[in-house]
Amino acid sequence: MAGIRAVAFDYGGTLVGFRVPVAALRAADAAMLAALGAAGLRPAAGPQPFALRLDAAVEGAVSAPRAVAEREVDIRAVYDTVLTALLGRPVPPATREALLRLHQTAWVAGVRVAVGVPAMLAALREMRLRVGLCSNTPYPPELMRAQLARLGLIDHFDVLCFSSAVGWRKPHPAIFRELARGLAVPPAATLFVGDEARADLGGARDAGMGPVLARVVRRAQDPERVAGAVIDDWPALVRLAREGWPVPAGGG
């Protein structure tokens, strides 16, 4: 593989890391209670603020096994179910949307961009490569775009592809087809950079893209089990994009 014309990335575990933003969720609690109060709703008292209970319940529901593993969940249906369980009655759609927005806005505080990511993305753009993001996320694309904007990353990407918009999660072919359509570059001229062997690298390989394991955010993956390039820092990826395929395992 040579003549790279596009580089696409997974999001969580590749470009960014996550931690539960407890302080930000606590800070969002008053606004959530106000939104509920405007609809005549009041949660029962509990050992944790409502925002933290909502977060734990939503994350548990999103992480639960699915009948069709690669089919993305309907996040609004998840919130409806969780909120009904927490409040004892259904929540109006407008209130659910307000809580969804407040919840996900608070979560921006739990996202940490890996060191060197903005400079690396800028270097790829300076090489006139197409740059894409392809993320498994049940959350609405508009909220994900807002998150990327708050992190200062959104202007680095030509294409944003979310499973919540496609309806299918990586490694399903549909999401890689949508990514390739947006990039408007042949898969054989595209590198896909991720941290999960099956969802990212296997899906990219099946789609005809060059799989690249990134061990920048998550160092524990075993490169011996990856059929593709392995990088341990972002300069190695820039070299790979410039020089073509392949490079030695470990970044070369």
Side-chain angles (χ1 to χ4, degrees), residues 112-200:
R112 294 291 181 270
V113 179
V115 174
V117 164
M120 176 271 293
L121 294 173
L124 297 178
R125 295 294 296 272
E126 289 173 3
M127 293 163 61
R128 299 187 181 278
L129 300 178
R130 297 276 286 171
V131 180
L133 182 74
C134 185
S135 176
N136 282 349
T137 176
Y139 298 103
E142 63 271 20
L143 294 184
M144 294 304 301
R145 287 192 290 269
Q147 182 177 122
L148 290 166
R150 291 188 185 97
L151 295 172
L153 295 178
I154 195 166
D155 291 338
H156 290 290
F157 296 104
D158 300 296
V159 177
L160 299 173
C161 185
F162 301 114
S163 60
S164 54
V166 178
W168 292 97
R169 296 171 61 82
K170 295 173 292 183
H172 196 277
I175 192 168
F176 284 98
R177 285 196 299 267
E178 182 64 17
L179 172 64
R181 185 197 65 77
L183 289 171
V185 168
T190 302
L191 295 178
F192 190 90
V193 185
D195 69 303
E196 294 188 2
R198 179 173 178 269
D200 296 326

Side-chain angles (χ1 to χ4, degrees), residues 13 23-24 35 70 78 88 96 105 109 112 114 141 154 166 198 234 247:
E70 293 167 14
V78 168
R96 176 242 291 145
T105 298
R112 294 291 181 270
I154 195 166
V166 178
R198 179 173 178 269
W234 297 125
V247 296

Side-chain angles (χ1 to χ4, degrees), residues 185-225:
V185 168
T190 302
L191 295 178
F192 190 90
V193 185
D195 69 303
E196 294 188 2
R198 179 173 178 269
D200 296 326
L201 308 186
R205 184 172 56 251
D206 292 345
M209 300 177 181
V212 180
L213 172 66
R215 300 196 301 172
V216 181
V217 173
R218 293 179 59 208
R219 292 284 185 178
Q221 309 101 8
D222 181 3
E224 298 303 321
R225 302 179 62 183

Side-chain angles (χ1 to χ4, degrees), residues 1 12 19 44 180 234:
M1 183 175 184
R19 66 178 183 182
W234 297 125

